[in-house]
Amino acid sequence: MAAVAAGPGPGSGPGDSPEGPEAEAPERRRKAHGMLKLYYGLSEGEAAGRPSGSDPLDPTDLNGAHFDPEVYLDKLRRECPLAQLMDSETDMVRQIRALDSDMQTLVYENYNKFISATDTIRKMKNDFRKMEDEMDRLATNMAVITDFSARISATLQDRHERITKLAGVHALLRKLQFLFELPSRLTKCVELGAYGQAVRYQGRARAVLQQYQHLPSFRAIQDDCQVITARLAQQLRQRFREGGSGAPEQAECVELLLALGEPAEELCEEFLAHARGRLEAELRSLEAELGPSPPAPDVLEFTDRGGSGFVGGLCQVASAYQELFAAQGPAGAEKLAAFARELGGRYFALVERRLAQEQGGGDNSLLVRALDRFHRRLRAPGALLAAAGLAEAATEIVERVARERLGHHLQGLRSAFLGCLTDVRQALAAPRLAGKEGPGLAELLANVASSILSHIKASLAAVHLFTAKEVSFSNKPYFRGEFCSQGVREGLIVGFIRSMCQTAQSFCDSPGEKGGATPPALLLLLSRLCLDYETATISYILTLTDEQFLVQDQSPVTPVSTLCAEARETARRLLTHYVKVQGLVISQMLRKSVETRDWLSTLEPRNVRAVMKRVVEDTTAIDVQVGLLYEEGVRKAQSSDSSKRTFSVYSSSRQQGRYAPSYTPSAPMDTNLLSNIQKLFSERIDVFSPVEFNKVSVLTGIIKISLKTLLECVRLRTFGRFGLQQVQVDCHFLQLYLWRFVADEELVHLLLDEVVASAALRCPDPVPMEPSVVEVICERG
Amino acid sequence: MFLRLALSTLVLQETDASDSKVLTCAAVWRMPKELEPGSHESPDDSSSPAHTLELLCHLDDTAHGSVACVVWEPTGDGRRVISLADSHILLWDLQESSSQAVLAGSASLEGKGQLKFTAGRWSPHHTCTQVATANDTTIRGWDTRSMSQIYCIENAHGQLVRDLDFNPNKQYYLASCGDDCKVKFWDTRNVTEPVKTLEEHSHWVWSVRYNHSHDQLVLTGSSDSRVILSNMVSISSEPFGHLVDDDDLSDQEERRPEEKSQEPPQDSVIATYEEHEDSVYAVDWSSADPWLFASLSYDGRLVINRVPRALKYHILL
């Protein structure tokens, strides 16, 4: 099936066997192939649309170029049965008939066209004949014209040369005239002040004069010119030095002087000196605004003026310099850079002074805008004077200011926190006057927390301005990385939380205080605040920060867990301190009551002493106070079985303990032995132990401290019989009311039993009161 | 053996409980001859009956109130005694072989309210001319020659000061303890701040004592029923690293490298003794054996302990 022919063979149609439903499509395709073949000259008989063989050399191919009827017929006769021969015969006849009719139709259809084509050709033949004649005429005319023209040129040749010569002479004369007139012209120009014109004239004449200076007349002119030029230069310099006119005029002067061939080095120096004078004036005016007493214009205005006055001036100088002294090469550029560096440095110093004045102010947006302008403004000269590094210096200033702002905000947050604390102190002090205390504690806590949070958010928002997209310096690497992570996150937020914890902790450390300086309620409140921070606020704030500032820097940051741990530690210390302070208050009360009383000569107890009632009242008050901020906590179930208590710890010393009382003959046997045995089974009481974050634990701590104090004080005194009984009554009273506050009521029992036992030991006449009487007295009290 | 720490003459306080009020007085007693150092052997048999003390004289100071504290002059012939009674500090001179006490000087506290001395200590330095006393939260120093105050540490402790002790080897160093559970070390030349503070106890600290010869060992007893032995190397008179000549240690060559590599030792708690069941009110070192100490608690238990052997060798070697 493949086309093997050397030429562009016919497509390999699948149509060798016209059978099946595809028979129609190959037919059409074959037609297209026929067209192609027509084009390539392989066309005999193919228009008939007979299936083309795969091989064009095949003599049996009806449409092939090498068709041989004999071979074809032979083949047919040899290969086909009769029926197929008949079929092919009829087929062939039909095709021939169809071809004939096609030919006829084509001839009919194109008859008109043949005729009109013949007509056209005839007409064209006619026209061309006419045109040929005209062309001939044209050729002869042209020949005549050429002839004439040559004749004229020949005649004019002579004159033309003369004219050219004359024109040359005329130009020369004019030049000479110009030269002769030059001195007077120059003088006139100088008088009129048209320096530019004068310099141009001089420049035009200079070369000529130089060339012909050996001729005396030219020499004279040259001398004159030199004199005038010198005067001109002097005047220009004069004007340049006076400098009253602006920078562009000065630049013009310098340009003219340069054109006059003045030494560039010197001019360059002078130019810079003048520029310096002007810029220094700008700086002075800026400095004047900085003056300490007059109300300085706001920082935005300041940077605007600095930008347009100084920086603009510097830009002009720089561009003029670069234009004028481009020939100076790297040395000149270096000079300019040094110049810019020095003045820029002074400008920066002024700006920094001004910005330093702004540090105290609260308006960040204004500052950021001012910094933005400052920075943006300096980018132009920065491009001009890359060597002077002004842009870098400006960026540095901006960074420094940003850093200082962070410090300022941190300070602000701290003072806000301290302010909150002061408010709380006042609020705590105030209701006491009104006779109403406590109910505001939770409210105060909420106030403090929300106010601190809002302060933090405000600071974050203010600081966020530095990284706003439209600010020109926000895409500097410092602001993208370090500022966000180290500055804002670490410096501001973490720093503040740390300092908050420290401030809170400092309340615990104040030495030598008897709790007078810090109200206990404040301790409690701070403790709760820190605990809240630990549980939620810290992670919230840090998430907020990370979101707002999209920290990209990879530098290590303080993890949330560390901060939380710190806050928790602070909360724990504060609470422990609270317990100590409150415990101390009650202890002092109990101690005074024990120490100041004469226990030997008391009367028989009728009442519970007032101080005990006070203790219970105070404890109740503390309970209420703590309950406002802390949860209840877990109370230890009443342990009924004492044998379960830690036995092994004291088992080594148990033996001694049991016999110890026998060496103290004066001790009342029963109580002492009892208490000693009891102690063996009870756990050691750690009085100032750390507390947990709940109400019960706090109150247990306070009561433990108070009762232990009572115990120690009782041991230092000597009691009469009634003294002992009074102690008995007091202790029973305490027992009645204190058990409900503590986690393990056994503890209260134990300590109070110990108190009574100790009092009995210190009593020369230990006659205890009847328990029933004690109960009656206590119930009555 | 242990009782040798007492002097041959005792000063005891006795309580005179009359009908109306309790008054604490002081008297001078003589210890029995058998217990004096140099006598045959230590009375180690507990079966022998307690020896009786011989009363020499009373420090007759009923006019000044209850006696809180009595201290001997640390050195010298044992003729001078200081007693603290309420707000008075009284210097006694014992005459005629201690049978008579004569008031040699006195001073008193002046201030608002009832000021009461709680503790006192006679400094072994400066030829025994200084005494330190404590009242409430204040520690005061007195010159016994003029009976005038020489220094005052206001608010030395957050609460009551319970006890004082002078460093036996460093003349300006003073330890104090109190109800704020702390033990503080002071340099009396600069009293604005303590040199060091210990917070190991969980209740009032009743007693603090320097070891008589190795003053880095400090003993404290507290009403949390614990006795704590601390090693205060950083403020001791013995220098860091212990400047012993290496030649002396020739027989211990193999030990040296590791000793050298050691850091200067830090202040630390050496041991916490929990033998007591109740508040410990007194602790003291043996005057005979520097590695022995005793503590006394409310329930009448006297516990005698030794400094851990490892530490002992560490200090000695």
Side-chain angles (χ1 to χ4, degrees):
Chain A
M1 297 268 284
V4 194
S12 56
D16 281 28
S17 48
E19 53 187 26
E22 294 151 324
E24 294 287 61
E27 192 74 17
R28 229 175 286 139
R29 214 176 298 159
R30 217 171 293 129
K31 259 184 190 162
H33 287 164
M35 303 287 273
L36 273 173
K37 277 180 187 163
L38 209 68
Y39 178 75
Y40 288 111
L42 304 166
S43 58
E44 285 106 299
E46 286 180 34
R50 281 306 303 164
S52 57
S54 57
D55 186 359
L57 295 177
D58 187 2
T60 60
D61 184 0
L62 208 55
N63 296 327
H66 304 268
F67 177 63
D68 188 343
E70 288 303 317
V71 178
Y72 181 67
L73 276 177
D74 270 355
K75 191 175 172 231
L76 273 183
R77 269 198 302 259
R78 239 179 299 126
E79 288 175 357
C80 300
L82 183 63
Q84 202 178 345
L85 272 179
M86 293 295 285
D87 280 350
S88 58
E89 199 244 328
T90 50
D91 189 32
M92 203 136 0
V93 169
R94 192 170 46 81
Q95 280 185 16
I96 290 166
R97 212 173 286 152
L99 281 173
D100 281 346
S101 73
D102 276 358
M103 210 143 67
Q104 261 178 1
T105 330
L106 275 172
V107 170
Y108 284 141
E109 276 174 358
N110 294 312
Y111 190 71
N112 275 337
K113 288 176 192 164
F114 290 141
I115 290 177
S116 72
T118 322
D119 286 353
T120 312
I121 289 166
R122 199 178 301 139
K123 220 159 114 196
M124 272 167 72
K125 267 185 190 159
N126 245 343
D127 291 348
F128 272 116
R129 210 167 295 141
K130 222 185 280 171
M131 215 191 295
E132 234 165 65
D133 291 348
E134 278 176 20
M135 287 304 284
D136 282 350
R137 255 190 5 244
L138 182 66
T140 47
N141 284 349
M142 283 308 290
V144 174
I145 288 166
T146 319
D147 193 29
F148 270 114
S149 156
R151 280 221 312 266
I152 289 166
S153 303
T155 23
L156 287 181
Q157 179 73 26
D158 205 17
R159 254 178 237 172
H160 184 69
E161 273 172 15
R162 277 204 348 249
I163 288 169
T164 318
K165 212 162 150 191
L166 280 176
V169 171
H170 177 71
L172 191 65
L173 281 177
R174 274 188 57 185
K175 275 189 190 160
L176 277 177
Q177 193 192 3
F178 171 72
L179 277 183
F180 286 124
E181 281 176 8
L182 185 62
S184 61
R185 275 195 200 210
L186 281 178
T187 323
K188 209 168 162 191
C189 280
V190 169
E191 275 166 10
L192 288 176
Y195 300 112
Q197 187 76 14
V199 170
R200 258 196 309 285
Y201 286 152
Q202 209 271 342
R204 264 163 62 187
R206 195 189 310 163
V208 181
L209 288 173
Q210 200 76 24
Q211 200 182 344
Y212 296 103
Q213 61 180 324
H214 55 278
L215 299 175
S217 54
F218 285 111
R219 185 62 176 266
I221 294 170
Q222 194 189 16
D223 288 350
D224 279 359
C225 280
Q226 270 171 355
V227 170
I228 296 167
T229 309
R231 216 169 65 222
L232 173 64
Q234 207 166 0
Q235 281 194 9
L236 278 174
R237 267 170 195 269
Q238 185 68 28
R239 200 171 136 204
F240 175 55
R241 286 208 188 97
E242 277 165 9
S245 38
E249 272 183 57
Q250 281 204 330
E252 192 194 329
C253 282
V254 172
E255 197 183 351
L256 293 178
L257 282 169
L258 275 177
L260 282 178
E262 294 288 321
E265 191 84 3
E266 192 184 310
L267 278 176
C268 163
E269 292 287 345
E270 266 188 53
F271 179 75
L272 284 184
H274 275 280
R276 178 188 302 276
R278 265 201 322 277
L279 292 176
E280 275 177 357
E282 290 282 353
L283 285 179
R284 266 195 298 281
S285 80
L286 281 179
E287 197 168 4
E289 281 178 19
L290 274 181
S293 53
D298 71 46
V299 65
L300 191 59
E301 205 178 304
F302 180 84
T303 45
D304 266 356
R305 286 186 56 172
S308 57
F310 175 79
V311 181
L314 190 63
C315 278
Q316 277 179 353
V317 169
S319 58
Y321 184 94
Q322 278 171 343
E323 249 170 52
L324 291 174
F325 303 106
Q328 291 273 309
E334 182 52 44
K335 219 180 267 177
L336 177 64
F339 170 77
R341 243 196 311 272
E342 191 211 324
L343 284 174
R346 285 171 57 187
Y347 173 60
F348 289 151
L350 284 179
V351 170
E352 281 202 78
R353 267 173 64 194
R354 182 65 188 86
L355 289 173
Q357 288 180 2
E358 205 62 22
Q359 277 310 321
D363 193 356
N364 240 13
S365 66
L366 199 63
L367 184 71
V368 169
R369 266 165 63 205
L371 283 175
D372 180 31
R373 290 219 187 144
F374 167 71
H375 189 257
R376 214 184 277 271
R377 204 58 222 226
L378 270 169
R379 275 203 292 193
L384 271 174
L385 306 162
L390 290 185
E392 286 81 0
T395 312
E396 243 167 59
I397 287 185
V398 172
E399 286 179 12
R400 203 154 45 230
V401 169
R403 256 181 227 127
E404 276 165 17
R405 279 317 279 184
L406 283 179
H408 174 72
H409 278 288
L410 179 58
Q411 207 54 47
L413 281 179
R414 280 190 190 145
S415 55
F417 180 60
L418 291 180
C420 280
L421 290 189
T422 317
D423 290 350
V424 170
R425 270 171 193 265
Q426 282 170 355
L428 286 178
R432 217 164 276 171
L433 298 175
K436 201 175 154 203
E437 190 195 3
L441 215 51
E443 221 171 274
L444 278 175
L445 176 69
N447 282 349
V448 170
S450 68
S451 117
I452 291 174
L453 201 59
S454 69
H455 274 294
I456 288 177
K457 279 183 182 165
S459 286
L460 277 182
V463 167
H464 196 242
L465 289 173
F466 278 104
T467 60
K469 278 220 172 53
E470 65 272 14
V471 177
S472 62
F473 48 75
S474 66
N475 58 355
K476 295 278 173 207
Y478 169 74
F479 282 98
R480 299 189 73 80
E482 202 197 330
F483 178 76
C484 291
S485 70
Q486 291 305 314
V488 177
R489 192 184 188 278
E490 290 298 293
L492 189 64
I493 300 303
V494 175
F496 170 66
I497 293 171
R498 287 238 162 95
S499 96
M500 199 177 98
C501 288
Q502 272 166 13
T503 312
Q505 289 211 5
S506 70
F507 286 114
C508 307
D509 295 336
S510 51
E513 301 287 355
K514 296 193 171 183
T518 320
L522 181 63
L523 291 175
L524 192 66
L525 190 129
L526 279 176
S527 150
R528 183 71 219 189
L529 184 69
C530 287
L531 194 65
D532 285 349
Y533 264 71
E534 190 254 334
T535 49
T537 319
I538 286 178
S539 63
Y540 168 68
I541 294 174
L542 285 183
T543 316
L544 193 74
T545 314
D546 288 349
E547 271 170 12
Q548 272 196 17
F549 288 89
L550 293 174
V551 175
Q552 298 163 335
D553 206 14
Q554 295 306 314
S555 56
V557 291
T558 318
V560 178
S561 56
T562 318
L563 275 185
C564 285
E566 277 175 35
R568 193 175 178 85
E569 171 64 17
T570 309
R572 200 189 56 70
R573 281 193 60 184
L574 282 167
L575 198 61
T576 309
H577 190 63
Y578 173 78
V579 168
K580 273 193 186 177
V581 169
Q582 292 287 36
L584 190 62
V585 170
I586 295 180
S587 302
Q588 293 290 0
M589 215 149 60
L590 287 169
R591 183 157 137 191
K592 284 251 165 58
S593 80
V594 175
E595 280 179 359
T596 50
R597 197 175 171 102
D598 186 359
W599 289 99
L600 277 177
S601 52
T602 47
L603 299 173
E604 190 172 0
R606 301 257 167 244
N607 281 314
V608 178
R609 287 190 301 149
V611 82
M612 294 302 163
K613 289 179 185 166
R614 178 80 196 281
V615 165
V616 170
E617 274 168 24
D618 281 7
T619 312
T620 315
I622 291 170
D623 182 60
V624 170
Q625 194 179 50
V626 177
L628 286 173
L629 292 180
Y630 277 99
E631 294 76 27
E632 178 72 26
V634 190
R635 215 177 277 274
K636 192 174 170 184
Q638 176 75 7
S639 54
S640 52
D641 191 358
S642 60
S643 65
K644 272 184 187 166
R645 291 187 187 165
T646 48
F647 202 84
S648 58
V649 181
Y650 297 110
S651 56
S652 58
S653 57
R654 194 170 141 225
Q655 208 68 11
Q656 301 169 349
R658 184 165 290 166
Y659 294 119
S662 62
Y663 286 110
T664 51
S666 66
M669 278 311 224
D670 287 341
T671 51
N672 198 17
L673 189 63
L674 203 71
S675 84
N676 265 316
I677 290 171
Q678 201 175 30
K679 256 186 257 170
L680 289 181
F681 296 105
S682 64
E683 287 179 50
R684 192 188 288 261
I685 299 165
D686 218 354
V687 179
F688 288 112
S689 57
V691 288
E692 284 157 35
F693 295 109
N694 59 54
K695 192 176 82 171
V696 169
S697 171
V698 169
L699 279 156
T700 309
I702 293 171
I703 289 172
K704 262 194 312 194
I705 292 172
S706 314
L707 293 186
K708 179 76 178 176
T709 307
L710 179 64
L711 174 64
E712 294 295 340
C713 290
V714 162
R715 285 176 178 179
L716 288 177
R717 302 288 299 176
T718 309
F719 296 86
R721 182 199 297 176
F722 295 131
L724 171 66
Q725 290 180 354
Q726 180 70 58
V727 170
Q728 231 183 328
V729 169
D730 290 350
C731 285
H732 188 75
F733 179 79
L734 288 180
Q735 189 164 328
L736 277 182
Y737 288 95
L738 290 185
W739 68 267
R740 72 185 81 170
F741 298 119
V742 297
D744 182 9
E745 64 181 275
E746 198 62 27
L747 193 82
V748 176
H749 293 196
L750 217 72
L751 278 167
L752 289 172
D753 286 351
E754 194 70 24
V755 171
V756 177
S758 298
L761 273 177
R762 293 293 303 167
C763 178
D765 180 24
V767 181
M769 200 176 229
E770 280 293 312
S772 56
V773 183
V774 173
E775 269 168 37
V776 167
I777 293 177
C778 284
E779 273 159 26
R780 202 177 53 203
Chain B
M1 175 171 73
F2 188 80
L3 288 176
R4 273 193 212 142
L5 71 97
L7 287 167
S8 61
T9 326
L10 270 178
V11 176
L12 285 184
Q13 291 155 242
E14 64 173 21
T15 303
D16 175 17
S18 65
D19 288 337
S20 58
K21 64 174 186 175
V22 181
L23 191 66
T24 314
C25 308
V28 182
W29 307 73
R30 186 191 299 280
M31 273 172 77
K33 282 270 189 280
E34 292 83 354
L35 292 175
E36 278 191 36
S39 64
H40 47 95
E41 78 262 0
S42 311
D44 46 1
D45 50 340
S46 53
S47 58
S48 68
H51 303 282
T52 50
L53 298 172
E54 180 190 346
L55 177 65
L56 294 180
C57 65
H58 281 282
L59 300 181
D60 188 16
D61 51 3
T62 46
H64 297 111
S66 287
V67 177
C69 178
V70 184
V71 279
W72 287 103
E73 186 176 20
T75 55
D77 52 5
R79 285 180 50 180
R80 296 210 291 175
V81 172
I82 285 276
S83 73
L84 303 175
D86 274 357
S87 66
H88 303 281
I89 172 166
L90 307 167
L91 175 63
W92 302 91
D93 210 348
L94 303 181
Q95 291 171 345
E96 297 171 24
S97 60
S98 305
S99 62
Q100 191 181 349
V102 175
L103 193 60
S106 74
S108 58
L109 277 178
E110 271 136 35
K112 275 193 283 181
Q114 266 193 316
L115 295 177
K116 270 188 192 173
F117 282 116
T118 53
R121 203 75 186 155
W122 202 318
S123 163
H125 306 290
H126 314 290
T127 61
C128 304
T129 52
Q130 287 189 11
V131 172
T133 62
N135 63 299
D136 201 24
T137 63
T138 312
I139 297 173
R140 289 167 206 274
W142 303 83
D143 189 330
T144 53
R145 294 166 298 188
S146 60
M147 293 310 278
S148 60
Q149 187 176 313
I150 45 180
Y151 56 83
C152 176
I153 310 175
E154 300 270 5
N155 282 325
H157 283 267
Q159 300 171 49
L160 199 70
V161 180
R162 291 273 171 196
D163 197 14
L164 302 166
D165 197 19
F166 279 98
N167 187 319
N169 302 326
K170 264 180 124 175
Q171 53 181 344
Y172 295 104
Y173 275 66
L174 174 68
S176 68
C177 59
D179 285 3
D180 56 359
C181 317
K182 289 176 189 164
V183 179
K184 292 186 180 180
F185 297 89
W186 304 88
D187 185 333
T188 57
R189 292 164 296 187
N190 176 18
V191 296
T192 49
E193 235 171 65
V195 181
K196 195 94 190 169
T197 303
L198 285 182
E199 279 186 84
E200 302 294 344
H201 285 291
S202 70
H203 203 243
W204 305 350
V205 187
W206 284 76
S207 180
V208 59
R209 285 290 179 271
Y210 275 110
N211 186 299
H212 299 306
S213 40
H214 304 285
D215 56 73
Q216 64 267 53
L217 301 178
V218 175
L219 203 57
T220 52
S222 150
S223 42
D224 63 2
S225 358
R226 291 189 181 95
V227 174
I228 293 183
L229 178 61
S230 311
N231 191 8
M232 304 302 295
V233 184
S234 69
I235 52 171
S236 88
S237 62
E238 291 183 29
F240 284 133
H242 216 71
L243 303 172
V244 180
D245 288 339
D246 286 344
D247 303 342
D248 300 347
L249 295 169
S250 52
D251 55 339
Q252 293 171 347
E253 285 293 336
E254 71 281 5
R255 246 198 222 181
R256 245 193 293 157
E258 73 187 54
E259 266 185 333
K260 287 226 165 148
S261 63
Q262 275 175 356
E263 293 274 304
Q266 300 292 311
D267 294 345
S268 59
V269 171
I270 299 163
T272 304
Y273 299 95
E274 307 203 344
E275 281 86 355
H276 291 286
E277 300 286 345
D278 210 324
S279 307
V280 179
Y281 291 124
V283 291
D284 213 336
W285 293 92
S286 161
S287 55
D289 181 350
W291 311 109
L292 210 57
F293 59 88
S295 53
L296 183 67
S297 66
Y298 175 74
D299 49 14
R301 186 179 303 170
L302 179 75
V303 176
I304 299 179
N305 268 304
R306 254 177 217 288
V307 174
R309 199 172 289 270
L311 180 75
K312 177 174 162 182
Y313 288 142
H314 183 79
I315 291 174
L316 284 179
L317 298 179

